[in-house]
Structures are given as structure tokens and as C-alpha cells.
Amino acid sequence: MNRDEHASAELVARYAAGDPDIPPDRLWAVESHLEGCEVCRVRLADVAPPPVAALSAAVWAALEPELTAPPARVRHWTRLATWATPSLVPWLIMTLLVLFAVVVLELVLPSDAMPSAVLLLAPIGPVLGVAVAWSRGLDPAHELIACTPRAGLELVLRRTTAVLVVVLPVLLLTGWLTGDSAAWWLLPCLGLTSAALALGGLVGVRRAAVATSVLWALLVVGPAVVRNAVPVVLVPAAGPWWAAVLVAGAVVVLMRSRAYVRVDNW
């Protein structure tokens, strides 16, 4: 049976009656044809036996309200999932609690006891959020979202923006309470996030974010606590260098935009 050739009335009637004597090749051909031919499906419905017609009518009556109802809730959650993931909620709560504890600690301890914890931790705050946003094991809608047309660089930037929109105001508030100006940590914060995304094009965004956070803790936070001094990378004079890191990371991300379509970057 050609694709443009309709099934004969006899074959449609035999198929509707469930004739076991239809040759397998013709049975496969008519079933394949019915999938794409509305005319033959209508002819099949007209000659279907009463029990089959009654069953089809009952199934359609039960499914029609759900099929014709506007899926507003589905669209709402799908749109939300492109900007955030439910796994971010526990992380945001933990971040708020940690920053609250840091503020209390800095207000209680003498100012010269150790470098500002807000200053040391602020640059990796969004980076950790990006790691959670791209964790395959923590995102229940991973397979669904990863298969969408926007699952590449656009989705990476959407979820990174969602993290920054939530984290930066909290960091600004804690910095204001502890007296740590954003001029000290804002550019390092954006620069590290950009560097983590650029590295994510090679090893995966989650791995890159975790690696960036670990290296920051080992190379910057640890020595600063031991020496009881603000690290050189967090002084205002380092701002131009962090701006260069931010721009370089953004350029690498744009040049390697196709790399973020790979599933392993999830």
C-alpha cells in the first residue's frame, strides 16, 4: 500500500472486525497507513462493530475534558523550571541561615579576630547556587527540561540569572549589616561565576562550579583565616583584574555556546 493510496473498503472492514486471516504484511501496512490518514480513520470508525464503537465513545468521553482543558498549571511549572528548579529552595534556605549566622558571628566577635566572613564567602555564593541548579540528581525534571529546545546556553544563563537575582540582594544586605562594601566582593562574585560557567563548557557546569568553590576555599579562604588578613584578590585594587576575568569568561561562554547542549553538562 502506497502512502498516498487509501485502504480499500474491504480491507478496512476486515481490519475493523479483527479478521485473523489478514496477511501480516497487509495488516502492518494498513495500521501504518491509519496513523497518518484521517480519511481512513473516519471510514474505520464508521464500520467498527458496535462494541468497539461503544468502547471508543466511552474512552473519548472520559478523556475529552482533560484533553480540551487549557494546561495552565503545566505551562506555569514548565516556565518556572526554565528559570529555577525545586532543588534551589533548600539551598536558598541554607544560604540565608549561614549568612545570618555569619552576621551574628561578626557582630559578636571583635573586629580584628579574623577577616570578614561575608567578604570571604560572598564571591562563591552564586557559584554554589549554580552548582545546585545544574545538579542532575537534585532536579526531578532534569530529563524533561534537558530535552527542550532551550536546554542549551539560554537555559544556563536563565538559571544563573535566577541564582544571582536571589543571592546578590541577600549579600548586599549582609554586607550592609557588617560594614562590608560591595566594592570589595561584587566583581569577584561575578568574575567567579563567569569563570565557572566558562569551565562548565569543558567539564560540565555542576563540576565546574564545585571545583571553583573548592579552589576558592583552599587558595583564598584558608590562607586568609590563617594569616588573619584580607587576601590580595579581595582588595579594591584587584577590581580591574576581576573585570577582565568577567569579560573573558563571558567571551568563552559565548564562543562555546554549543557545548552547553551536551547532556553531560547537566
Side-chain angles (χ1 to χ4, degrees):
M1 180 185 298
N2 296 328
R3 179 175 300 180
D4 298 331
E5 179 185 355
H6 294 296
S8 65
E10 177 190 1
L11 182 57
V12 171
R14 293 176 63 188
Y15 179 80
D19 187 351
D21 295 328
I22 301 178
D25 57 336
R26 299 194 66 188
L27 179 63
W28 176 86
V30 71
E31 288 181 345
S32 177
H33 179 74
L34 286 170
E35 290 181 359
C37 181
E38 183 179 357
V39 174
C40 288
R41 288 199 300 269
V42 172
R43 293 168 56 199
L44 176 65
D46 292 337
V47 298
V52 176
L55 177 61
S56 299
V59 171
W60 176 251
L63 292 178
E64 185 177 14
E66 298 182 13
L67 295 176
T68 57
R73 181 173 301 179
V74 175
R75 288 199 298 268
H76 169 75
W77 284 109
T78 302
R79 189 182 304 114
L80 178 62
T82 61
W83 286 96
T85 171
S87 59
L88 277 177
V89 176
W91 176 83
L92 291 174
I93 295 176
M94 181 192 68
T95 301
L96 293 175
L97 293 177
V98 169
L99 292 177
F100 176 76
V102 167
V103 171
V104 173
L105 185 64
E106 291 202 14
L107 294 178
V108 172
L109 293 179
S111 58
D112 58 349
M114 61 176 290
S116 170
V118 174
L119 180 62
L120 295 178
L121 297 178
I124 60 173
V127 177
L128 293 174
V130 172
V132 175
W134 292 95
S135 178
R136 178 184 301 185
L138 296 178
D139 188 357
H142 161 69
E143 288 81 4
L144 176 63
I145 300 301
C147 295
T148 61
R150 295 183 177 181
L153 178 61
E154 180 180 351
L155 189 53
V156 174
L157 298 179
R158 279 172 177 259
R159 290 197 169 180
T160 301
T161 301
V163 171
L164 292 173
V165 167
V166 174
V167 173
L168 287 183
V170 177
L171 291 174
L172 288 171
L173 177 61
T174 56
W176 176 75
L177 293 175
T178 58
D180 296 305
S181 173
W184 292 68
W185 56 262
L186 183 57
L187 273 177
C189 178
L190 298 177
L192 281 181
T193 303
S194 177
L197 292 177
L199 182 60
L202 297 175
V203 300
V205 177
R206 180 177 57 84
R207 297 188 190 97
V210 172
T212 302
S213 302
V214 171
L215 289 175
W216 180 264
L218 294 177
L219 301 180
V220 177
V221 177
V225 173
V226 172
R227 295 171 50 198
N228 192 21
V230 176
V232 178
V233 294
L234 287 178
V235 297
W241 295 99
W242 282 114
V245 171
L246 173 61
V247 174
V251 170
V252 171
V253 168
L254 293 177
M255 292 180 61
R256 292 185 51 83
S257 59
R258 292 184 177 273
Y260 299 91
V261 181
R262 298 201 314 264
V263 176
D264 58 349
N265 274 335
W266 285 78

